Amino acid sequence: MKTLRFPLLAAFLLAPVLPGGAAAPALPTVETTLSVLEPVEGACEWRKFEPLSSASQVLARLPAGCQGGSTALSQDGKRGAVRFWRGAVSMPVVGKPTFPEPFPSQAFRDRLFLVELATGEAQELPLPPEGELIEYGFDAQGRLLGLSLQGAAMEEQASSRVVELDGTGRARGVGGGKTSLRALGFAFQEGKWTRLEVKASSEVLGTAALELRKELGERSIRALDPRFEARDIEEDEVLDQLYELSPDQPEGQWAEFKSGSQSLAVWGTPFGNDMLATGLVRRLERGKVVALPSYPYRPNDMMSLKTRGPYLLISLSDSGGHPRMYRGNKRVWSSETARAVTFWPK
């Protein structure tokens, strides 16, 4: 078979021609690049990863395990931050998790790194001086912001307890007693944290009490939130098929997750006025309910659902672990080691 020797000529000859002699415009390509944290020989690499080609670019190699890892990216794409936190684990809605997390060792330390993405240089930063760091990210000016929560003992408090919040208004691991909270906002400037804002808060409100939170840009903790915009499913033939799949636990209902070309039926469990996605998911195709292939999650798992073009990215919420990427009914990528997996911001 003969081949064309000149690539430019080949492109011209092989391009479809529209009426009037105009060449057809190139179809837009879908950017499927991911941000991942990958454990490598006792360290943690932050990578830009293309799952369809397996091309990978190491952005930074950090002297820590990837457990509890999360990421943030500045708006101009020049700086990033990576945090390792004991509390950044995936929690099931009820019962035992499908993928249990190893318990952090005594050597585990809460750590935060600032990364220059052009060079891969990583600088470990001190944590904010007050409260426990809950959320972090960059504002539009490129400043690294840190939001923390601090418990203030009330006079009538009868017993102490531990409160862990994920910064999205969801309380986790809350015991007995009464505790008031205050939220604090800091900016890392000139080598130190400067406090910019303090507000009274609550277990449910968390760092959302701060105006500064609205300025936080791209960050994995936000992308991995299990809350989704739930739509009612009204087709009786679809509801009949889903009824047979309804679990005893957790409490919830079937709702539609609609994003771009994706239409999914999700068993959602209520949290206040929100709906949280569980691992019980089915594709909706012309009145049919279709299971995703090689799909390991269960109804008690809490999930993050994200789409880009024809691609669906599913991972455990909060940790972003054990991700699966689908195109239609085909699984195109999965990992059991990557964490904090999100689409790379456009």
Side-chain angles (χ1 to χ4, degrees), residues 111-153:
R111 306 176 74 181
L112 177 66
F113 294 86
L114 181 64
V115 178
E116 299 296 333
L117 295 177
T119 63
E121 180 183 355
Q123 174 191 3
E124 184 168 3
L125 304 182
L127 299 177
E130 298 176 83
E132 182 174 16
L133 180 63
I134 302 299
E135 277 200 279
Y136 66 98
F138 295 88
D139 64 10
Q141 289 74 46
R143 297 184 303 176
L144 179 61
L145 305 180
L147 312 183
S148 66
L149 285 175
Q150 187 175 57

Side-chain angles (χ1 to χ4, degrees), residues 193-253:
W193 292 100
T194 301
R195 192 171 74 181
L196 303 180
E197 186 181 6
V198 181
K199 288 283 181 66
S201 187
S202 66
E203 294 167 357
V204 175
L205 191 58
T207 55
L210 297 169
E211 288 296 318
L212 208 59
R213 186 172 183 267
K214 299 175 183 177
E215 299 185 30
L216 293 179
E218 298 285 352
R219 57 203 190 277
S220 63
I221 191 173
R222 179 180 181 182
L224 295 170
D225 195 306
R227 287 178 287 191
F228 72 104
E229 184 178 347
R231 299 186 178 191
D232 292 335
I233 299 174
E234 299 178 349
E235 296 84 355
D236 289 339
E237 61 176 335
V238 172
L239 290 171
D240 289 342
Q241 297 172 67
L242 293 173
Y243 177 78
E244 300 298 325
L245 303 173
S246 301
D248 294 329
Q249 287 187 315
E251 175 189 356
Q253 66 183 62

Side-chain angles (χ1 to χ4, degrees), residues 255-329:
E256 183 182 16
F257 169 81
K258 181 75 173 175
S259 178
S261 61
Q262 305 287 340
S263 181
L264 304 174
V266 179
W267 183 261
T269 186
F271 184 82
N273 295 325
D274 297 313
M275 191 72 77
L276 308 182
T278 74
L280 183 50
V281 172
R282 291 293 187 272
R283 282 180 55 83
L284 298 177
E285 296 182 354
R286 295 185 292 275
K288 299 294 183 181
V289 173
V290 181
L292 290 164
S294 303
Y295 185 84
Y297 311 114
R298 299 184 298 179
N300 63 314
D301 294 319
M302 201 153 52
M303 311 305 301
S304 166
L305 309 174
K306 290 293 180 287
T307 66
R308 183 169 288 179
Y311 295 96
L312 169 67
L313 179 63
I314 304 180
S315 64
L316 295 175
S317 68
D318 299 326
S319 74
H322 303 278
R324 304 294 191 266
M325 181 182 281
Y326 292 90
R327 177 166 184 162
N329 288 325

Side-chain angles (χ1 to χ4, degrees), residues 132-187:
E132 182 174 16
L133 180 63
I134 302 299
E135 277 200 279
Y136 66 98
F138 295 88
D139 64 10
Q141 289 74 46
R143 297 184 303 176
L144 179 61
L145 305 180
L147 312 183
S148 66
L149 285 175
Q150 187 175 57
M154 299 172 66
E155 291 183 2
E156 67 272 21
Q157 181 175 338
S159 61
S160 63
R161 60 173 168 179
V162 175
V163 177
E164 291 184 0
L165 301 178
D166 62 5
T168 60
R170 291 184 288 116
R172 297 160 52 195
V174 179
K178 294 182 179 179
T179 303
S180 64
L181 298 174
R182 64 174 186 162
L184 305 99
F186 299 86

